[in-house]
Amino acid sequence: MCCNYRPISCLNVGAKVLETVSKIQITKYFEDNKLFSSSQHGFRAKRSTNSALIDAHTKWTNAMDEGKIAGVLSFDLSSAFDCVSADLLCNKLKIYGFDNISIGWVRSYLSDRSQFVCIGNDISEVLIIKVGSPQGSVISPVLFIILLSDIDLWSEHSTISGFADDNSATVIEDTFKNMISKLESDACHILSFMASNSLVANEGKTTFMVFSNKRRENPDTPLSLKVGNSNIIEVREQKLLGIIFSSDLKWNRHISSLIEKVHHRLHILKNLSRLLPRAVLTIVAECLIMSNIRYCLPLFGRSRQNDLEPIPSEQSKLQVIQNHMLRTIYALKIKDKTNMTKLRTQKDVMSINQITCQAIIMEFRKALQFDTLPHTMEMINVERRSNINTRSSSQGQIRPLKCRLSTTSNSFPAIAVRLWNKLPEDLRKSPTSDAIFKRSLAKWIKNSDIP
């Protein structure tokens, strides 16, 4: 039996420095010439799982708002880095305009590598690695997304959303029949792309979801489609990049899962509070609890701009978690009936709502400056911006979105535009770095009427 241990390569400092220099040059060339796929969010500056999921979610909510059907196929790649072919990659680099010296360097980097297994004093035979890019390398992720950079050209009907080897194809149609037909057609094209690039797509792990408000003939019977040799049955819920999506595009299931996870960590924090000083405990709380809450918060977080707006139940549950965390840090009990708003003000801690507002604005600013959300910004710029030069447009404000459904009005682009327009003009037009803008934004949020 052959086993794949997928080792993490132990590279020396000199090699990592050389890789980093090469990675910077290659990435700059691809970004400057717009050679990366616009749908690829992995291992690219200013992009993240946040931007990948927000852009995909915007397509789905907008389709539902327009009364259409969004069908989504999520593909699973097996051992992605292990399948990178030096010959195929170098052929692509030649097409992209790399000279022979650069191509030779990449080929040399990927060739003649070896591996062995050592357990105690026993050492296995040395095997030559003929295919693959080393795990743990600085440059391997960039080489992999270069291999995927032309995937959009293989899709005829769908739009692709990708983060490294996690890729989803979305088809938006008026009828279920047309949606399934076009998804099946593009699935064949995408599988052909994978096979042509020596990548292994696991058909059995491919998932299929449908987002729609349209009435079905048999609502209790899940839809299905053919992908390769597999029959893929529709699922009503799945996890993408750590976020749980439901077919109704509501966040109840994800919030419940998040709260369950964080509750366990609150218990750990409470035990640590007996051993650690407060300053250290604050850092631990940020790592254990707040980091989980902050992850993709611009996607599922709902914000309030003032006290008159109702408190969303999901946000209220997360605020309770933060309150428990603060009580643990400052050795307070519920029976003390401490005013948590005053406590946060005293300790210079933002509420969950304020953190959500800050995260949404920061993500939206990146999209405006660096086009990190191409589908989202296309919808805002093309459909929602006014062609008339008004006072608000000259001040950097954006025309609010017209939404038919509550799901859409509470989605990222709708909330982001409302918050962006609420900012002072000097903050909207600030040319400062992200770090300086983030500090200025936090100061404004704390001094504004955002609760």
Side-chain angles (χ1 to χ4, degrees):
M1 183 177 68
C2 179
C3 295
N4 182 358
Y5 292 98
R6 302 188 68 189
I8 302 298
S9 299
C10 297
L11 305 170
N12 59 51
V13 175
K16 287 190 175 182
V17 170
L18 179 60
E19 286 180 15
T20 302
V21 172
S22 303
K23 172 199 167 188
I24 292 172
Q25 293 178 354
I26 293 173
T27 302
K28 186 177 187 305
Y29 177 81
F30 267 79
E31 293 288 5
D32 289 349
N33 292 282
K34 301 185 184 303
L35 297 175
F36 284 131
S37 167
S38 62
S39 63
Q40 179 57 254
H41 293 261
F43 312 115
R44 298 180 63 186
K46 307 297 182 181
R47 297 195 180 202
S48 63
T49 51
N50 270 347
S51 58
L53 293 175
I54 288 171
D55 218 27
H57 183 261
T58 298
K59 286 185 293 188
W60 305 336
T61 54
N62 191 48
M64 290 181 67
D65 194 69
E66 293 178 349
K68 296 185 177 181
I69 303 162
V72 183
L73 268 179
S74 300
F75 294 90
D76 178 80
L77 289 179
S78 301
S79 305
F81 284 12
D82 294 342
C83 297
V84 174
S85 166
D87 291 336
L88 286 171
L89 180 62
C90 289
N91 288 338
K92 287 195 174 186
L93 292 178
K94 185 175 182 180
I95 295 172
Y96 287 132
F98 278 51
D99 59 28
N100 291 331
I101 295 176
S102 302
I103 294 173
W105 185 91
V106 173
R107 187 183 297 277
S108 174
Y109 176 81
L110 294 175
S111 303
D112 298 324
R113 289 189 173 273
S114 59
Q115 72 178 31
F116 65 90
V117 177
C118 178
I119 301 176
N121 295 324
D122 298 323
I123 300 176
S124 69
E125 293 181 6
V126 176
L127 297 178
I128 301 298
I129 303 174
K130 297 180 180 180
V131 178
S133 189
Q135 298 278 336
S137 162
V138 175
I139 201 173
S140 288
V142 175
L143 298 180
F144 178 73
I145 64 174
I146 288 174
L147 199 63
L148 289 179
S149 57
D150 59 326
I151 189 172
D152 290 339
L153 302 178
W154 292 67
S155 173
E156 183 179 355
H157 309 289
S158 59
T159 55
I160 307 295
S161 299
F163 186 90
D165 58 339
D166 289 297
N167 291 273
S168 298
T170 300
V171 166
I172 297 174
E173 268 296 333
D174 294 317
T175 66
F176 291 100
K177 182 178 179 180
N178 288 345
M179 178 269 293
I180 291 175
S181 174
K182 290 184 177 181
L183 259 186
E184 287 180 333
S185 174
D186 269 7
C188 291
H189 297 158
I190 293 171
L191 290 178
S192 297
F193 168 83
M194 301 298 184
S196 300
N197 288 274
S198 298
L199 299 172
V200 180
N202 192 329
E203 298 173 9
K205 290 187 178 180
T206 301
T207 58
F208 171 44
M209 285 194 77
V210 177
F211 304 104
S212 173
N213 287 324
K214 287 196 172 185
R215 183 175 298 177
R216 306 187 189 187
E217 293 182 3
N218 301 302
D220 296 328
T221 304
L223 301 174
S224 64
L225 49 74
K226 197 81 172 176
V227 176
N229 296 319
S230 301
N231 191 42
I232 310 300
I233 306 297
E234 174 195 3
V235 296
R236 301 295 171 93
E237 182 182 288
Q238 71 168 321
K239 181 178 283 190
L240 293 174
L241 298 175
I243 300 295
I244 299 175
F245 286 86
S246 301
S247 57
D248 57 3
L249 286 178
K250 294 181 180 179
W251 298 111
N252 308 56
R253 178 68 181 87
H254 176 72
I255 298 294
S256 298
S257 175
L258 175 60
I259 289 174
E260 183 180 347
K261 180 180 181 180
V262 174
H263 264 305
H264 173 68
R265 299 187 174 213
L266 274 172
H267 182 70
I268 297 175
L269 185 70
K270 187 174 181 179
N271 290 335
L272 290 174
S273 66
R274 305 186 185 100
L275 306 172
L276 300 176
R278 185 169 297 165
V280 177
L281 198 63
T282 302
I283 298 173
V284 172
E286 178 66 33
C287 298
L288 280 179
I289 297 168
M290 291 308 299
S291 62
N292 284 274
I293 293 176
R294 290 178 191 273
Y295 179 68
C296 283
L297 191 57
L299 175 66
F300 65 84
R302 290 180 57 187
S303 67
R304 294 187 300 145
Q305 295 189 25
N306 54 62
D307 280 319
L308 298 178
E309 295 183 9
I311 302 176
S313 60
E314 297 89 349
Q315 187 188 95
S316 178
K317 293 174 184 176
L318 294 177
Q319 187 59 63
V320 169
I321 294 290
Q322 189 195 44
N323 292 346
H324 284 318
M325 181 192 78
L326 292 174
R327 289 192 188 97
T328 302
I329 293 173
Y330 295 103
L332 300 172
K333 297 180 179 179
I334 295 178
K335 65 181 181 180
D336 296 333
K337 297 184 179 180
T338 304
N339 187 312
M340 299 308 296
T341 302
K342 290 183 178 179
L343 179 65
R344 288 194 299 269
T345 303
Q346 291 171 2
K347 305 303 179 182
D348 197 28
V349 176
M350 290 199 293
S351 67
I352 293 297
N353 182 62
Q354 292 173 332
I355 293 172
T356 303
C357 292
Q358 183 189 42
I360 290 173
I361 293 172
M362 289 297 299
E363 199 68 43
F364 190 65
R365 182 175 186 259
K366 283 196 296 183
L368 289 172
Q369 292 185 335
F370 304 105
D371 194 28
T372 56
L373 302 171
H375 297 294
T376 303
M377 297 314 297
E378 180 183 1
M379 182 185 74
I380 293 174
N381 292 330
V382 174
E383 299 181 13
R384 312 299 182 184
R385 277 188 182 252
S386 173
N387 295 324
I388 303 174
N389 188 15
T390 61
R391 185 173 64 181
S392 62
S393 61
S394 65
Q395 293 174 351
Q397 292 190 337
I398 299 174
R399 189 177 177 184
L401 278 68
K402 296 179 180 178
C403 306
R404 300 177 181 87
L405 303 175
S406 60
T407 305
T408 317
S409 62
N410 291 317
S411 63
F412 172 84
I415 296 175
V417 169
R418 293 197 295 267
L419 287 172
W420 184 259
N421 290 341
K422 187 180 177 69
L423 290 178
E425 182 179 355
D426 60 336
L427 200 54
R428 281 198 302 271
K429 295 185 175 181
S430 173
T432 56
S433 66
D434 287 348
I436 296 175
F437 178 82
K438 188 175 183 178
R439 288 196 296 269
S440 302
L441 177 61
K443 183 178 180 181
W444 175 79
I445 288 175
K446 292 173 185 175
N447 295 327
S448 70
D449 58 345
I450 295 179

